[in-house]
Amino acid sequence: MKKLGFGCMRLPLTNPEDPTSVDLKQFCEMIDTFMDNGFTYFDTAYPYHQRQSELFVKKALVERYPRNSFTLADKLPVPFMKTKEDAKRIFDEQLEKCGVNFFDYYLLHALNRNHYQTALKFGCFDFIKKMKEEGKIREIGFSFHDTADILDQILTEHPEMDFVQLQINYLDWNSESVQSRLCYETAVKHGKQVVIMEPVKGGSLVHVPENIQTKLLNLDGSLSIASWAIRFAASLKNIRVVLSGMSNLEQLNDNISYMKKFKPLTQEENDFLIKLGDQIRTSIAIPCTACNYCTPGCPKHICIPEYFSLFNKRKQNLSKGKSTEYDDLKNEHGKPYDCIECGQCERVCPQKLPIISNLKKVADEFE
């Protein structure tokens, strides 16, 4: 299997303000290009694009290609489960929405110390094992957002897991909160294959400060800024695939250009990127990946990731003066100071960000 996977969380849109307005024509063209170049791994999930991603995967991929020509991963939304019966109901719904009778890979979604307890309470591990025994799943695993000690506990208590999906990038490699390196080493210790998510940290390793861009271009001016992040992740051992949430043909073609005939990083390049990551991390005020898990349930319709992105650009001197983008966001969405501190956003944030206090920082900065 080639090491680039198509993450279906940031699909092309006809209306940037509407995550359900997936550009089906462009998505089909992207899939055709992806498949024509020998890539076959697709990853979706129940909440992506406000529960529409699976339907678009069916239209653009499943209905247009033989089932044995691609591999498909989906996830059980553990954070949203309320009863034990939810697992079977949601799983059957996912099979129907995707138009398949089995998943190649199926994961318990976004496990951390709290969601792990939810998964145990509702028998999620037993459920996916049963679906595997019935031939409805080929391999089982889980995606993970927490510290390495929790990952070690889960893998110790559930050695039946075939693989684990981790957030790994050179920005988070030495992070005390994300612990990319420690989590990776824990998975390897348990002999598990690793699927990598967030290799460019939601764009943070694409839109880097100018001095960092210069250093990367000096390494190899023929390669994009994003390529270094993808190749860093793919160069690690025991990596099955690196997921990229590609939003347009340009991003997809760029990824294909260096992943079709993948060349791993040298040790010197690897060490250089880790040092750069440490520098970049200190310049990012709010380490948001723009996954948008926080926005659907916001009672004030605050576009949290967009505000955080503007705040980070201001702090990194990527934008100066009064931001017209901020005014546009205020006019079309909830305002940062509209937050009623209900906390729903913080409960679902995979990065464990203090969103409420960060919104206050945004308001103070731009108001």
Side-chain angles (χ1 to χ4, degrees):
M1 184 192 300
K2 291 184 181 291
K3 285 193 172 183
L4 177 66
F6 200 133
C8 299
M9 186 173 78
R10 299 181 174 96
L11 299 176
L13 301 174
T14 57
N15 176 9
E17 302 297 325
D18 180 7
T20 68
S21 67
V22 173
D23 185 340
L24 182 59
K25 181 179 179 181
Q26 185 174 182
F27 186 28
C28 288
E29 190 174 352
M30 291 171 71
I31 285 178
D32 293 344
T33 304
F34 191 75
M35 296 281 283
D36 287 347
N37 283 277
F39 299 93
T40 60
Y41 192 107
F42 294 86
D43 172 274
T44 186
Y46 192 73
Y48 293 173
H49 286 272
Q50 293 187 9
R51 302 188 181 183
Q52 298 299 301
S53 175
E54 293 160 327
L55 291 172
F56 281 100
V57 167
K58 177 182 178 180
K59 294 176 183 177
L61 175 67
V62 177
E63 293 181 349
R64 300 173 62 244
Y65 284 90
R67 183 64 183 89
N68 62 0
S69 65
F70 61 87
T71 54
L72 181 60
D74 208 336
K75 310 177 188 75
L76 184 67
V78 175
F80 300 99
M81 292 181 62
K82 303 298 181 185
T83 69
K84 184 175 182 179
E85 289 70 32
D86 283 344
K88 181 68 164 60
R89 175 183 60 80
I90 292 173
F91 183 78
D92 289 344
E93 180 184 340
Q94 290 175 303
L95 288 174
E96 182 178 354
K97 287 172 72 175
C98 289
V100 297
N101 54 22
F102 73 93
F103 291 113
D104 299 279
Y105 310 105
Y106 196 74
L107 304 86
L108 302 182
H109 200 177
L111 293 194
N112 57 24
R113 67 187 68 221
N114 294 326
H115 298 156
Y116 178 46
Q117 296 306 313
T118 301
L120 293 176
K121 177 181 178 182
F122 295 135
C124 296
F125 287 92
D126 291 336
F127 173 76
I128 61 174
K129 281 193 295 182
K130 184 174 184 291
M131 292 300 99
K132 182 180 178 181
E133 291 166 359
E134 293 181 6
K136 295 180 180 179
I137 301 172
R138 297 290 186 260
E139 291 191 24
I140 54 177
F142 60 92
S143 61
F144 182 77
H145 293 279
D146 213 320
T147 52
D149 59 319
I150 303 300
L151 178 61
D152 187 58
Q153 177 188 352
I154 296 174
L155 290 176
T156 299
E157 295 176 1
H158 295 278
E160 74 276 11
M161 295 293 101
D162 297 308
F163 68 101
V164 61
Q165 187 163 306
L166 301 174
Q167 178 174 317
I168 296 178
N169 53 67
Y170 68 82
L171 179 66
D172 291 325
W173 191 248
N174 290 325
S175 166
E176 292 183 5
S177 57
V178 179
Q179 298 189 355
S180 281
R181 177 179 62 81
L182 293 176
C183 286
Y184 166 73
E185 291 173 350
T186 300
V188 171
K189 181 185 75 172
H190 284 271
K192 303 302 180 184
Q193 285 279 300
V194 176
V195 173
I196 291 180
M197 58 184 165
E198 298 291 356
V200 298
K201 185 77 171 183
S204 297
L205 294 179
V206 178
H207 307 292
V208 297
E210 188 174 345
N211 65 315
I212 302 296
Q213 284 190 41
T214 301
K215 291 178 180 180
L216 291 174
L217 291 173
N218 286 339
L219 274 181
D220 190 334
S222 68
L223 290 171
S224 66
I225 301 301
S227 71
W228 292 101
I230 302 286
R231 291 174 61 231
F232 172 84
S235 296
L236 296 168
K237 296 179 181 178
N238 286 65
I239 300 303
R240 171 174 289 168
V241 69
V242 178
L243 299 176
S244 178
M246 297 169 282
S247 302
N248 53 54
L249 271 167
E250 182 182 3
Q251 293 174 3
L252 183 138
N253 285 325
D254 178 53
N255 283 347
I256 287 174
S257 70
Y258 52 83
M259 290 300 290
K260 187 173 182 179
K261 295 182 179 179
F262 173 64
K263 180 183 178 182
L265 296 178
T266 65
Q267 188 60 50
E268 291 74 19
E269 290 172 331
N270 181 83
D271 294 343
F272 183 76
L273 288 179
I274 292 174
K275 290 180 181 178
L276 281 188
D278 292 339
Q279 294 177 33
I280 298 171
R281 191 166 60 254
T282 61
S283 74
I284 297 178
I286 304 175
C288 171
T289 65
C291 69
N292 278 298
Y293 288 6
C294 57
T295 53
C298 177
K300 292 298 183 179
H301 308 290
I302 303 171
C303 52
I304 298 167
E306 286 87 347
Y307 283 123
F308 287 174
S309 176
L310 289 180
F311 185 80
N312 285 333
K313 288 178 181 178
R314 174 73 66 87
K315 293 302 181 181
Q316 290 178 304
N317 293 318
L318 296 177
S319 65
K320 298 178 181 179
K322 184 169 176 60
S323 174
T324 57
E325 291 180 83
Y326 178 76
D327 290 336
D328 291 341
L329 289 176
K330 277 203 312 178
N331 291 334
E332 298 173 9
H333 303 276
K335 305 170 183 63
Y337 47 79
D338 288 339
C339 175
I340 60 173
E341 303 186 16
C342 65
Q344 75 82 27
C345 54
E346 295 188 355
R347 287 192 290 273
V348 298
C349 177
Q351 308 302 319
K352 302 184 290 293
L353 298 178
I355 294 175
I356 295 170
S357 62
N358 282 332
L359 284 174
K360 293 178 181 177
K361 292 179 182 178
V362 173
D364 289 343
E365 177 71 25
F366 287 97
E367 295 295 330

